[in-house]
Amino acid sequence: MAVPPRADIDFANLAFAYRPTDGNVRYTWRDGCWDEGVETESETLPLHIAATCLHYGQAVFEGLKVYRAKDGRVLCFRIDENAKRMSHSAETLMMESPPVALFRDAVFRAARANQRYIPPYGCGASLYVRPLLIGTGARIGVRPADEYMLLVLVTPVGPYFKHGFTPTKLIVEEEFDRAAPLGVGTAKAAGNYAAGMRATMRAREAGYGEALYLDAKEHKFVDELGAANFFGITKDQRYVTPKSPSVLRSITNLSLRTLAPDLGYQVEQRSVPIEELDDFVEAGACGTAAVITPIESITLRGRDIVYLTDGKPGPHCTALYQGLTSIQVGDGEDKYGWTEEIEV
Ligand code: PLP
Ligand code: COI
């Protein structure tokens, strides 16, 4: 029997911010195997002062959302893709990767333990699930840890960009790159986010929602945003999204590339030269936290490329948003089998 959402939380007006819940789950890899994991109410971690996550950046994470459907079912979206991506991130940073089954159990366990925080259907909020893998073993020489911890925390969230599904302005801050072509940009490595903070903060201070990055090698192609992938729509109904060795393989983007043809778009995943930004009739940011955020304009080299002038999402982003979110919350037909019910 599902536990109802807490009555004293204003779920419809949540920001994308951490809020304490009933607990988190933690699994440890030691002596070559994962333990059974524990559930705890503690919001802090006892860590060795020489843990590799602290000194050498052995920290990767995931992000996925859990929704309450109209009929009361609790649904998660494409969890196996998150599990696989965590394995890719772990391999990239030479960390021990949790098997898919363990990743799934950890997420389900955390969601179950925090049912009171799964927002009600239709309020626009969701339970954000944050699996985190860290090197906990002590090293002072630079080499992989011999102990790891997978922990899963959850927190109810509203939209990542202010006001949710409304247009956001971006700026290309060319003094900063996010990830190098032969670096770790395809991993969801904690350090990539620290690397992006200067650009994001500078963008926010100047009144933009987020920074847009170009490829680090030549600054000729579009890469992605600090916390979302990029796509553009052409006037002849093409969904164009960057193929780059330094962008995170977004599961939202992967899903949109599958849905877009159903909605009448031709999909192109390829290098996107910055000159092409002028050709798009609409553009958007996509990701778990960002969902689909329509891009109002992009400021590049002192010039504004404007997509939307009335402060409202355009028809293309709206169609993609509705197609995606209706599946995520269990309203639309899930013909690709992307949602999974969590037994609560
Ligand atoms: N790119 C970056 C850098 C991100 O942090 C995220 C967020 O997860 C995404 C893209 C979108 O990925 P996904 O759709 O899997 O959430
Ligand atoms: C997500 O969309 O899940 C992310 O990880 C973005 C995050 C950095 C807020």
Side-chain angles (χ1 to χ4, degrees):
M1 183 60 184
V3 177
R6 264 179 73 155
D8 57 343
I9 296 178
D10 183 7
F11 286 104
N13 288 304
L14 289 180
F16 191 88
Y18 176 78
R19 151 190 293 267
T21 59
D22 288 335
N24 55 87
V25 300
R26 303 168 183 196
Y27 294 73
T28 300
W29 186 84
R30 186 179 289 133
D31 299 329
C33 56
W34 287 99
D35 70 7
E36 297 290 303
V38 290
E39 287 174 33
T40 171
E41 286 173 14
S42 171
E43 290 175 278
T44 60
L45 273 177
L47 265 185
H48 194 287
I49 55 170
T52 61
C53 64
L54 298 177
H55 297 255
Y56 301 130
Q58 274 199 310
V60 300
F61 66 94
E62 270 306 321
L64 64 152
K65 281 178 173 171
V66 167
Y67 310 83
R68 225 180 261 269
K70 202 187 253 174
D71 60 9
R73 287 176 307 144
V74 171
L75 302 176
C76 69
F77 187 70
R78 307 198 76 174
I79 182 172
D80 287 9
E81 293 298 329
N82 292 95
K84 284 191 260 170
R85 191 171 62 190
M86 177 165 269
S87 294
H88 166 73
S89 300
E91 279 159 25
T92 305
L93 273 76
M94 301 206 72
M95 303 168 71
E96 186 62 32
S97 165
V100 171
L102 187 132
F103 182 96
R104 290 166 56 87
D105 283 349
V107 169
F108 293 160
R109 207 165 157 184
R112 238 176 251 130
N114 289 288
Q115 285 180 55
R116 300 193 297 153
Y117 295 90
I118 305 173
Y121 168 80
C123 74
S126 53
L127 186 74
Y128 184 68
V129 182
R130 173 55 68 80
L132 172 70
L133 178 69
I134 53 174
T136 48
R139 294 282 191 222
I140 206 65
V142 180
R143 51 192 292 240
D146 57 357
E147 282 182 25
Y148 293 87
M149 183 182 279
L150 170 71
L151 60 96
V152 181
L153 67 89
V154 300
T155 196
V157 295
Y160 187 66
F161 290 108
K162 242 197 249 168
H163 314 305
F165 187 56
T166 51
T168 294
K169 292 182 184 180
L170 305 183
I171 182 166
V172 178
E173 294 284 2
E174 281 198 89
E175 279 175 49
F176 309 114
D177 293 320
R178 191 191 86 94
L182 299 177
V184 299
T186 62
K188 209 161 164 56
N192 288 339
Y193 296 82
M197 283 183 189
R198 289 176 301 173
T200 300
M201 288 306 149
R202 193 186 276 191
R204 297 236 170 102
E205 276 156 25
Y208 297 90
E210 177 57 292
L212 177 67
Y213 295 95
L214 305 184
D215 76 286
K217 194 171 174 186
E218 297 185 283
H219 278 206
K220 284 187 179 165
F221 303 97
V222 180
D223 251 2
E224 66 173 331
L225 286 73
N229 272 186
F230 173 87
F231 65 85
I233 305 290
T234 63
K235 61 175 181 303
D236 56 352
Q237 294 268 122
R238 283 176 289 134
Y239 173 99
V240 181
T241 191
K243 188 179 174 76
S244 156
S246 47
V247 306
L248 190 77
R249 291 175 206 143
S250 156
I251 296 156
T252 313
N253 194 350
L254 178 72
S255 308
L256 291 175
R257 294 201 303 276
T258 301
L259 285 181
D262 297 348
L263 299 169
Y265 298 89
Q266 196 182 314
V267 171
E268 292 179 11
Q269 190 182 17
R270 55 167 171 81
S271 299
V272 179
I274 48 177
E275 294 73 27
E276 227 178 287
L277 289 173
D278 285 294
D279 300 340
F280 296 132
V281 292
E282 272 184 48
C286 63
T288 299
V291 193
I292 289 176
T293 302
I295 298 172
E296 180 172 325
S297 62
I298 298 173
T299 300
L300 170 67
R301 299 180 185 161
R303 192 169 68 86
D304 290 345
I305 301 161
V306 179
Y307 299 109
L308 301 164
T309 48
D310 59 359
K312 293 196 195 110
H316 301 291
C317 284
T318 302
L320 291 165
Y321 179 88
Q322 283 170 350
L324 177 73
T325 56
S326 69
I327 296 174
Q328 289 174 329
V329 302
D331 284 345
E333 187 204 350
D334 181 14
K335 74 176 193 187
Y336 301 104
W338 288 337
T339 54
E340 194 169 334
E341 183 174 356
I342 303 178
E343 297 294 339
V344 287

